[in-house]
Amino acid sequence: MHIISQVLIALVSLLFLYIMYLETIVTSSAKTSKVFNIPQDVLREKHFTTLMKNQGVYNGLIALALLYSAFCSENGKELSCILLVYCILVATYGALTSSWKILIKQGFLPFLALLSLLIL
């Protein structure tokens, strides 16, 4: 796997770890409220907090799987492609159901990483 692809995948992982941080650690913070455009009083609701933390775990595990695929796996390119397509599809779903900005914020970097894997 090319070093550029590895760097891009590492950046995607950092993005997903940041999202995990917002969803699981600082769930009801002003920053989380701003990033997700959800009022803080809603973020403080017990059921909503549980849902956010659950989603955060998924994002964290995707980040770890991407790091594994880029730096440890014998089939790194194939596994990375699958995970990056997943990231792009999730961003697309978010764009269709919430805001088109999600496609840019959460999908552009995985798209670049996938492109680099396919070209380099």
Side-chain angles (χ1 to χ4, degrees):
M1 184 180 307
H2 199 277
I3 187 74
I4 292 173
S5 297
Q6 287 180 310
V7 169
L8 287 169
I9 290 169
L11 290 173
V12 173
S13 295
L14 287 174
L15 171 64
F16 276 78
L17 286 172
Y18 177 66
I19 294 169
M20 182 203 77
Y21 168 76
L22 291 173
E23 293 173 337
T24 60
I25 311 279
V26 293
T27 309
S28 60
S29 71
K31 183 66 176 175
T32 302
S33 175
K34 181 180 178 187
V35 168
F36 294 110
N37 195 27
I38 300 170
Q40 276 187 286
D41 58 325
V42 173
L43 290 173
R44 288 188 189 101
E45 293 176 12
K46 183 176 176 4
H47 295 299
F48 199 82
T49 299
T50 300
L51 291 172
M52 288 285 285
K53 290 178 186 256
N54 186 40
Q55 185 61 37
V57 170
Y58 283 101
N59 284 312
L61 292 173
I62 289 295
L64 293 177
L66 280 167
L67 289 173
Y68 173 78
S69 71
F71 298 102
C72 300
S73 176
E74 290 183 20
N75 298 314
K77 187 173 182 178
E78 181 180 3
L79 183 55
S80 294
C81 284
I82 291 167
L83 292 166
L84 291 167
V85 166
Y86 171 82
C87 294
I88 294 164
L89 290 174
V90 168
T92 303
Y93 180 79
L96 293 172
T97 59
S98 180
S99 168
W100 66 270
K101 293 178 184 179
I102 292 172
L103 190 56
I104 304 302
K105 292 178 182 178
Q106 194 175 332
F108 186 67
L109 196 52
F111 174 75
L112 287 180
L114 180 62
L115 197 59
S116 76
L117 282 173
L118 299 175
I119 292 174
L120 301 176

